[in-house]
Amino acid sequence: MSRPERSAKDETSAGGLFFQICSWCRTTTFRRLLCPACWSPDLVAARSEGLGVVAPRRYGPTTQGTVWPVRMAEGFVVRCRVDGPPYAVRPGARVRLAGPTATATGRDARIVSGEPVVRLCEEAPLDGWIRGAG
C-alpha cells in the first residue's frame, strides 16, 4: 500500500474526525479496509466537518444509553457518545463533534479509546416535551 494508515491516535493528534472516501465509487465509510459498496481497497482519508444527525438505533435497549449511531454530513455513520441530557437525545437531533476523538469515560468509569464524542446543537428545554403531552 502506498498510503499511510490512520489510527485512533493519529486522529487525536490531528484534532478531527477522519473518514474514508472510495476512489472508485465515491462511497464514504468509517474505519474500513475495503469499500462497502464496490470492495475496492483504494480508500482516501478526509476530514469530517463534524456535523451530523442522531440516527435511530437498529438494536434493542442498551446499557450504554449515551452511545448512538450518528449520520455525519458527509454520508457515513459512526457510533458516538452523545453529550447532552438523556431526554433530548433522540433520532433526528442535530449534533456536532465535541472535540478530539481521544477517549471517553462512561458512567461505569470504563475508558473507551477512539470513540467520537458529539454534543447536541440545540438545547431542548425540559418542559418542551412535557407541555404537548396533556
Side-chain angles (χ1 to χ4, degrees):
M1 285 187 161
S2 61
R3 62 183 167 81
E5 297 296 326
R6 287 199 178 270
S7 67
K9 287 184 181 183
D10 293 339
E11 290 178 10
T12 302
S13 62
L17 180 66
F18 288 89
F19 66 101
Q20 298 156 313
I21 302 173
C22 177
S23 298
W24 288 88
C25 68
R26 308 302 295 166
T27 299
T28 58
T29 188
F30 185 69
R31 291 188 185 163
R32 298 265 181 123
L33 293 175
L34 300 173
C35 172
C38 70
W39 294 38
S40 169
D42 296 330
L43 300 174
V44 178
R47 179 183 274 198
S48 172
E49 293 177 18
L51 297 173
V53 175
V54 176
R57 291 180 174 157
R58 296 186 184 258
Y59 43 86
T62 178
T63 57
Q64 299 174 344
T66 60
V67 177
W68 285 82
V70 174
R71 179 168 297 281
M72 302 306 282
E74 293 82 10
F76 65 97
V77 177
V78 60
R79 241 179 78 155
C80 298
R81 290 197 176 271
V82 180
D83 182 22
Y87 64 85
V89 180
R90 61 180 172 23
R94 294 184 332 170
V95 293
R96 76 173 144 257
L97 193 61
T101 60
T103 56
T105 306
R107 289 184 194 155
D108 55 356
R110 187 173 65 102
I111 296 176
V112 181
S113 178
E115 246 182 21
V117 178
V118 293
R119 288 198 180 113
L120 295 171
C121 287
E122 61 265 351
E123 286 293 324
L126 181 58
D127 64 344
W129 64 278
I130 295 174
R131 193 177 302 144

